Amino acid sequence: MKRKVIIILSTLFIIFMAALFIYYLIKSDSSRWQVALGGIIVSELPLLLLRMKHNPFNIPIIIGYYLFLFCSLFLGSIASFYLHHKWWDSTLHFYKGVYVGIVGISLYKRLIPEKVRNDVSAWILFLFVLSLAVFASVLWEIYEFVGDLTFTRTMQRGGNTDTMYDLLYGFLGGLIIAVYSLIKKQKV
């Protein structure tokens, strides 16, 4: 069941992005066809996870991934939400922090055997979840910086201020999930 859902979601998103790619390529809108092409590439990640013997991610995490892709690539870049709604970028960075924190909890459950989890300090789990969310925020800002250097010049319109707000919102999202994992460690 999980395998079928991942294949269906991935295929639908790839088709959606491929249609946008072709449409904007024909219209010679280079910034949008490049985003759509990137969307095709990143939407294949869940398909690659199917090659693993035990995929650690459940359906809600996969759906959350595609929700993020849809909101950032289509709504944010192609439909210009980033330009028309100043709060959009910060909201997505906050969501990404929450999302990666949840992924961190999922990885913890997958990588640490259940018998050993009671011996792991709640603070270690807290630090793992928070560090993963912050690391994802840093990687995203590196991606934006390199993207501006090589292709778009539009990803960091606010310069250092934009970068710092993005990092703060990603940190806050991750902090919320890290605190949750600290409080609810026995249930996690």
Side-chain angles (χ1 to χ4, degrees):
M1 171 71 174
K2 179 166 117 173
R3 184 176 182 80
K4 280 185 182 179
V5 171
I6 291 172
I7 291 170
I8 290 169
L9 281 174
S10 298
T11 303
L12 288 175
F13 203 83
I14 289 169
I15 291 169
F16 175 64
M17 284 290 144
L20 290 171
F21 170 74
I22 293 166
Y23 176 75
Y24 287 113
L25 188 61
I26 291 169
K27 288 187 75 165
S28 297
D29 188 337
S30 64
S31 67
R32 286 188 170 97
W33 72 252
Q34 289 173 0
V35 170
L37 179 61
I40 293 168
I41 293 166
V42 297
S43 61
E44 293 177 12
L45 177 63
L47 291 174
L48 294 174
L49 291 173
L50 290 178
R51 294 181 175 259
M52 294 175 64
K53 186 174 182 179
H54 298 289
N55 181 351
F57 304 116
N58 59 23
I59 296 299
I61 287 179
I62 300 297
I63 291 171
Y65 177 73
Y66 282 111
L67 177 65
F68 177 74
L69 291 183
F70 180 78
C71 289
S72 64
L73 298 175
F74 178 69
L75 294 177
S77 295
I78 294 174
S80 300
F81 274 39
Y82 288 130
L83 295 175
H84 301 300
H85 307 287
K86 296 226 182 253
W87 52 268
W88 191 254
D89 186 43
S90 300
T91 302
L92 285 181
H93 281 280
F94 179 78
Y95 173 82
K96 180 183 45 60
V98 169
Y99 176 76
V100 172
I102 292 169
V103 167
I105 291 172
S106 180
L107 287 172
Y108 167 79
K109 290 165 102 176
R110 174 74 179 108
L111 298 173
I112 306 297
E114 197 169 342
K115 294 181 271 185
V116 179
R117 283 187 215 150
N118 288 335
D119 297 332
V120 175
S121 165
W123 288 103
I124 295 295
L125 176 60
F126 173 88
L127 285 173
F128 175 69
V129 169
L130 183 60
S131 297
L132 196 61
V134 170
F135 181 63
S137 292
V138 169
L139 285 180
W140 188 263
E141 290 308 309
I142 291 170
Y143 159 75
E144 285 185 0
F145 179 73
V146 171
D148 279 351
L149 284 177
T150 56
F151 296 112
T152 66
R153 308 247 190 280
T154 61
M155 297 173 91
Q156 292 182 311
R157 285 195 171 111
N160 188 47
T161 302
D162 174 72
T163 298
M164 293 312 298
Y165 275 118
D166 292 350
L167 290 172
L168 283 171
Y169 281 108
F171 169 79
L172 287 174
L175 181 63
I176 288 170
I177 301 303
V179 168
Y180 170 82
S181 72
L182 181 66
I183 294 168
K184 300 284 188 175
K185 183 196 179 270
Q186 296 307 322
K187 293 182 182 180
V188 171

